Amino acid sequence: MTDPTPISTPRPDARALPLVPLRDMVVFPRMMAPFVVGRASSISALEAALVSADKRIFLAAQRDPKVDEPAQDDIHEVGVVATVVQSLKLPNGHIKVMVEGNHRGRIRSWTPAGAHRDVVVESLELRSGVSGGADVSSYMQKVLGVFEQYAKLSHQLAFEGLLASLKLDDPDVFADMLAGHLPTSIPTPEKQTLLETVNPLERLQKLQDLLEIEIEKINIDRRINNKVKKQMERAQKEYYLNEKIKAIHQELGRKDDKSDEIDELRQKIENAGMPKDVKEKAVAELKRLEAMPNVSAEATVSRNYIDWLVNVPWKKASREAKDLKNAERILNEDHYGLEKVKERILEFLAVRQLVTETKGSILCFVGPPGVGKTSLAKSIAKSLNRKFVRLSLGGVRDEAEIRGHRRTYIGAFPGQIVQLMKKAGTVNPVFLLDEVDKMSMDFRGDPSSALLEVLDPEQNHSFVDHYLDVEYDLSKVMFIATANVVHPIPPALKDRMEIIALSGYTPNEKLAIARQFLVPKQVKENGLTPEQAAFDDGGIYGLIEKYTREAGVRNLEREIASVCRKVARKVVSEEAKGPIVVTAENLPDFLGKAKFRLARKGEKAEIGLSTGLAWTEAGGDVLHIETTLMRGKGNLVLTGQLGDVMQESARAALSYVRSRSEMYGADPDFYEKKDIHVHIPEGAIPKDGPSAGITMATSILSAVTQIPVRKDVAMTGEITLRGKVLPVGGIKEKLLAAFRAGITTIVLPKENEKDLDDLPEEIRNVMEFHLTEDVDEVVRLALEGAPTPFPGKPLVAPADAAPPSSSNVAH
């Protein structure tokens, strides 16, 4: 092969040719190309060519086809010198022409010629031709084979006629002939690159690349078209058969209810917003249902399953309210006090304003009955503008209540979690798990273990109900659990919840709740008006102290309702001559004698009688612990229905007293000559726990030393054999009980100092608190007069025990 380097020397007969810029089109040498000329400058150039002897014109492609009046830089320099073969003037003034490309040329200079431009063109020719060697011929055959393959696939080229005109002896002519038949789908810049490639061998290589790309595109299109065609054929087949079935049913006079039902279910599946895998399962089940007879028992099971899938909320959510002030107003309107809980809810709302996607919160309200746990959950839902659903777990002992039964069982249903999500209708309700401490277990499973997944933010986004058998997202649900006590809740379940304690109300708080909420509610519910029935503060206080004994206000509301009913009877029977005001004096006229007597402090200091404080599910209470000594052999008798822990605490207290008896001037051998009887009154009520340890020790020591215990002191704390005072729980409830009993001096463990912050200001201001670490300090505070140690036996306190000082007294 000879050197194919092009020369760029103008021909001797070089002359200026009219220029016609082409839009989105490239004309190759030896190519016949028709096009329409419409621009004034192009029509002028064409007319100039038509009047010339050889009718020659220079055709060059525009760089940007959108430019109407291209400048010199907008037109490619390399183009084709062509001859106008035929022209036809159209009615709209445009000219349709047929041109034949002669040879390549490059613009050397530009000359304005009236409305158009003439250009001086140099011919781009090879220094000498390319020889038809064996290598070039075989490569031409290869390109020709690729072109034939493309022509057969495209169904757009009459390649048989083209093959007859192709000459395989000249690669330059061969390449230009093939380039002239390239499809319009190939971009104009690619064709322009081919035109500018003078070397025919390089041009053949580029042609092969372009044709192979086009062949791959055609193959991809054919594969896609085949898939679409098959899908359309399947859809047409199903449509045809369904229409035929409908026609058969119509001929038989039957209603095609099943077809309508299937269409309705299919539409519901489309509109439900299910995840992809759930939707696929629903569609597969629908196809099974479609193939079943209507009377089949299995069809009912499938239909119910699909109904559950489409009716459970998958994407519908309540629009959450984020107005902190409005939420705070709603919480304050519905509930009095409970500042910690309200603060936690407002914190949750504040975080939601900063973070759009947060994990569901799981709160657990723990407190006595009647303090407003359930109603508080409703208020939270109201303040958040979410739906509210409630699941009572009291007595639930079957794991299927949470997870549901599998569909293989007759009459199977989803668990309560999914059922209540369907009832809520949204994916983000407030979900109340009521009485979570009342669950139990038996051979049918442990429901508390099933709740572990529900209440774990790391797992509940993929909760699986046995009936639905698909993953369901519970991560957007706000779960709130309630319990009266924490200890029955399994540790693993308790670990997943944020515990918020709701302690009992003080008398002043109950008065405020009754005045603001309970009295107006019951007056209205019993058909009365504020002008007909009224309660003064003394009457409400009388109800609180003499007719109810509870930490909450549930019984208080019942007693108010009872009074209102009696007032209503008097109004109807016209016994009342004016408005009836309920006071402390006339309260027995409505409710009879007082039901409870207030636990009061003793009238005088007594030997062996100490006052302790206890926590109960109804709040706090005062315990009077009595000890007496009798002639005997040192036996310890415990009565008052004491639990195991309390009995062990009494034995520890006795051991401590025996170790200190000689120091306090008592007979060191009293336990060999006397029996000791410790009794806690109200023996019908079970009692347990270690918090009465220092109270029993004080009572026993008082009986042994014959020193009376102060009547105005109450105490609580666990005792050790070394005389240490350990912290206990339920401090707020215990101190409320002491306040109700009129006791103002309290002895507490030092480590319970932090619990005093939870007390209402009204109680902290009237009580004196002594924080102790050692029982010797308790004795000095509780026994009347400082204990006198036995002569020669000084009272020795542990080295780390601080003496009573102002630092240990809190007001």
Side-chain angles (χ1 to χ4, degrees):
M1 193 184 334
T2 58
D3 185 8
T5 305
I7 61 172
S8 54
T9 304
R11 289 181 175 184
D13 58 344
R15 62 185 177 84
L17 297 176
L19 171 67
V20 175
L22 301 178
R23 300 179 197 250
D24 269 335
M25 181 179 179
V26 176
V27 177
F28 290 91
R30 305 168 188 86
M31 171 183 172
M32 300 291 290
F35 58 90
V36 176
V37 179
R39 287 181 287 199
S41 58
S42 299
I43 291 175
S44 173
L46 184 62
E47 289 174 345
L50 288 173
V51 298
S52 65
D54 54 4
K55 297 183 179 181
R56 289 202 168 185
I57 195 168
F58 188 72
L59 305 175
Q62 288 183 203
R63 298 182 189 277
D64 185 359
K66 297 178 182 178
V67 178
D68 287 331
E69 296 297 334
Q72 183 174 337
D73 293 337
D74 296 327
I75 300 172
H76 288 285
E77 290 185 353
V78 177
V80 169
V81 176
T83 302
V84 180
V85 178
Q86 190 177 1
S87 65
L88 174 66
K89 195 156 189 175
L90 301 176
N92 59 2
H94 296 174
I95 300 176
K96 186 175 183 180
V97 295
M98 174 75 75
V99 298
E100 181 181 5
N102 293 328
H103 60 270
R104 288 172 176 76
R106 177 182 283 116
I107 298 173
R108 299 291 293 174
S109 62
W110 303 68
T111 306
H116 67 277
R117 283 173 287 191
D118 288 343
V119 291
V120 176
V121 180
E122 69 171 356
S123 177
L124 295 178
E125 295 180 344
L126 294 174
R127 183 172 296 164
S128 58
V130 179
S131 65
D135 292 342
V136 175
S137 297
S138 62
Y139 194 71
M140 290 167 65
Q141 287 287 353
K142 182 178 180 181
V143 174
L144 182 61
V146 174
F147 186 80
E148 287 182 10
Q149 183 183 358
Y150 166 74
K152 290 176 181 177
L153 290 173
S154 67
H155 300 296
Q156 295 177 356
L157 297 173
F159 67 94
E160 291 86 354
L162 175 63
L163 292 178
S165 62
L166 286 174
K167 297 179 180 179
L168 295 177
D169 56 346
D170 189 343
D172 186 39
V173 175
F174 177 80
D176 284 339
M177 291 287 285
L178 289 187
H181 287 82
L182 288 176
T184 56
S185 59
I186 294 178
T188 301
E190 298 285 351
K191 293 181 179 179
Q192 180 66 28
T193 303
L194 276 177
L195 182 64
E196 294 175 359
T197 304
V198 179
N199 189 321
L201 192 57
E202 291 180 9
R203 213 180 315 147
L204 286 171
Q205 290 171 346
K206 291 180 179 179
L207 267 172
Q208 181 183 359
D209 292 341
L210 289 174
L211 288 171
E212 286 177 345
I213 291 172
E214 289 301 307
I215 289 171
E216 183 63 26
K217 288 181 181 177
I218 291 173
N219 286 331
I220 292 172
D221 287 342
R222 292 181 75 175
R223 284 199 297 270
I224 294 174
N225 290 337
N226 287 336
K227 287 182 180 178
V228 173
K229 184 178 179 182
K230 287 179 182 178
Q231 290 174 356
M232 291 180 64
E233 287 175 352
R234 190 183 303 116
Q236 289 173 348
K237 179 181 177 182
E238 290 178 359
Y239 176 77
Y240 171 74
L241 293 175
N242 285 329
E243 290 299 314
K244 197 165 186 179
I245 291 171
K246 287 180 182 178
I248 292 171
H249 280 296
Q250 288 174 358
E251 286 295 323
L252 294 173
R254 297 176 184 169
K255 290 184 178 179
D256 194 12
D257 293 335
K258 183 173 182 180
S259 178
D260 295 340
E261 180 189 23
I262 295 296
D263 292 340
E264 182 182 351
L265 289 174
R266 186 175 285 111
Q267 189 62 40
K268 285 183 177 180
I269 292 172
E270 291 295 327
N271 298 336
M274 302 174 182
K276 183 180 177 182
D277 54 337
V278 180
K279 185 176 180 180
E280 289 174 356
K281 189 160 188 173
V283 171
E285 191 69 26
L286 185 64
K287 288 181 179 179
R288 288 184 63 236
L289 175 62
E290 200 170 4
M292 295 176 191
N294 276 338
V295 295
S296 168
E298 187 68 20
T300 304
V301 174
S302 278
R303 191 179 294 107
N304 288 339
Y305 177 68
I306 296 171
D307 278 337
W308 274 105
L309 281 180
V310 298
N311 287 323
V312 169
W314 294 100
K315 64 178 181 179
K316 183 181 177 183
S318 299
R319 188 172 183 179
E320 194 170 280
K322 296 182 179 180
D323 187 346
L324 289 180
K325 291 184 178 179
N326 185 55
E328 187 174 8
R329 179 185 60 78
I330 291 172
L331 292 172
N332 288 333
E333 283 179 357
D334 293 349
H335 291 83
Y336 181 86
L338 305 178
E339 298 303 328
K340 281 191 175 181
V341 183
K342 293 176 182 176
E343 184 180 351
R344 177 66 183 83
I345 301 306
L346 296 176
E347 288 170 0
F348 172 78
L349 280 176
V351 171
R352 289 297 298 224
Q353 288 194 17
L354 300 176
V355 182
T356 307
E357 291 296 329
T358 59
K359 292 182 179 178
S361 300
I362 299 158
L363 307 178
C364 182
F365 298 153
V366 178
V371 295
K373 299 184 294 294
T374 304
S375 60
L376 183 60
K378 291 181 181 178
S379 295
I380 291 171
K382 182 180 175 184
S383 64
L384 296 176
N385 192 34
R386 293 194 185 190
K387 299 283 188 179
F388 175 79
V389 287
R390 173 180 171 271
L391 171 59
S392 178
L393 295 173
V396 171
R397 59 179 65 226
D398 188 356
E399 179 250 2
E401 290 285 335
I402 307 298
R403 288 188 178 276
H405 294 87
R406 301 197 181 276
R407 279 190 292 153
T408 51
Y409 296 106
I410 296 174
F413 270 98
Q416 289 290 335
I417 300 293
V418 171
Q419 289 188 41
L420 289 174
M421 289 300 294
K422 175 188 172 185
K423 179 182 177 182
T426 60
V427 295
N428 62 340
V430 173
F431 201 120
L432 177 65
L433 300 169
D434 214 0
E435 310 293 353
V436 74
D437 58 329
K438 306 294 191 302
M439 285 187 295
S440 55
M441 68 171 79
D442 63 5
F443 64 92
R444 290 170 289 187
D446 182 5
S448 63
S449 298
L451 277 179
L452 295 179
E453 182 185 5
V454 175
L455 298 181
D456 192 340
E458 300 298 329
Q459 301 179 35
N460 63 9
H461 61 85
S462 56
F463 171 71
V464 177
D465 183 272
H466 288 160
Y467 182 84
L468 295 185
D469 200 27
V470 293
E471 292 185 354
Y472 188 76
D473 187 2
L474 294 172
S475 61
K476 297 181 178 63
V477 180
M478 183 177 187
F479 287 101
I480 298 177
T482 69
N484 294 129
V485 287
V486 176
H487 57 81
I489 303 174
L493 186 58
K494 187 172 17 176
D495 183 60
R496 284 162 168 79
M497 302 186 291
E498 180 181 346
I499 306 294
I500 298 178
L502 279 70
S503 55
Y505 295 115
T506 67
N508 285 348
E509 287 175 336
K510 290 184 180 181
L511 174 66
I513 293 170
R515 194 189 302 144
Q516 294 180 27
F517 303 104
L518 304 183
V519 170
K521 176 184 174 184
Q522 291 303 325
V523 166
K524 182 179 178 181
E525 287 187 0
N526 286 279
L528 300 171
T529 63
E531 291 75 23
Q532 293 172 323
F535 289 73
D536 70 3
D537 290 354
I540 297 175
Y541 262 123
L543 286 171
I544 294 169
E545 295 182 346
K546 298 178 181 179
Y547 292 89
T548 61
R549 178 171 290 181
E550 57 178 347
V553 292
R554 193 169 287 154
N555 287 327
L556 177 60
E557 184 174 8
R558 291 194 190 100
E559 297 300 332
I560 292 172
S562 179
V563 172
C564 287
R565 287 195 297 271
K566 299 216 173 11
V567 172
R569 181 180 175 185
K570 288 188 176 184
V571 169
V572 172
S573 61
E574 298 182 355
E575 294 180 17
K577 301 300 182 184
I580 298 177
V581 180
V582 180
T583 64
E585 289 74 24
N586 65 9
L587 201 54
D589 298 337
F590 295 98
L591 298 177
K593 293 181 180 180
K595 297 178 181 178
F596 301 100
R597 61 178 180 83
L598 283 177
R600 292 293 182 186
K601 62 183 179 182
E603 296 181 359
K604 61 178 182 178
E606 295 184 39
I607 295 172
L609 177 63
S610 60
T611 305
L613 300 173
W615 179 92
T616 69
E617 290 188 11
D621 208 348
V622 173
L623 289 179
H624 295 291
I625 298 180
E626 303 171 344
T627 302
T628 186
L629 302 181
M630 306 164 289
R631 194 182 298 253
K633 298 181 180 179
N635 295 326
L636 175 64
V637 181
L638 302 172
T639 56
Q641 204 172 155
L642 309 186
D644 292 340
V645 176
M646 202 165 188
Q647 291 182 31
E648 291 173 358
S649 186
R651 293 189 185 97
L654 176 59
S655 297
Y656 169 78
V657 170
R658 286 175 58 182
S659 69
R660 289 289 198 272
S661 60
E662 190 173 357
M663 296 180 184
Y664 283 102
D667 182 0
D669 299 324
F670 74 92
Y671 57 89
E672 295 180 354
K673 305 171 185 177
K674 303 285 186 180
D675 286 344
I676 303 160
H677 187 166
V678 179
H679 174 69
I680 302 178
E682 299 188 25
I685 301 174
K687 308 168 190 71
D688 205 356
S691 63
I694 64 173
T695 315
M696 290 190 284
T698 303
S699 176
I700 295 171
L701 188 60
S702 171
V704 170
T705 61
Q706 295 295 298
I707 301 174
V709 183
R710 288 170 55 185
K711 63 180 181 180
D712 60 341
V713 174
M715 62 194 75
T716 183
E718 183 178 352
I719 190 173
T720 70
L721 290 176
R722 296 183 302 134
K724 297 293 184 182
V725 180
L726 302 183
V728 293
I731 295 298
K732 181 179 178 182
E733 289 80 2
K734 292 175 180 179
L735 295 181
L736 290 178
F739 177 76
R740 288 194 295 268
I743 300 173
T744 57
T745 303
I746 308 296
V747 178
L748 295 174
K750 176 75 173 175
E751 292 183 38
N752 282 120
E753 183 176 7
K754 63 183 183 299
D755 298 308
L756 298 179
D757 295 335
D758 295 335
L759 279 180
E761 194 72 25
E762 64 195 73
I763 294 179
R764 282 209 303 267
N765 291 338
V766 299
M767 282 190 165
E768 181 182 355
F769 303 102
H770 294 272
L771 306 173
T772 62
E773 295 178 317
D774 191 89
V775 180
D776 290 335
E777 299 176 45
V778 178
V779 170
R780 287 195 287 270
L781 290 167
L783 297 187
E784 280 208 336
T788 304
F790 189 81
K793 298 284 185 178
L795 181 64
V796 180
D800 59 346
S805 65
S806 59
S807 63
N808 285 359
V809 179
H811 292 279

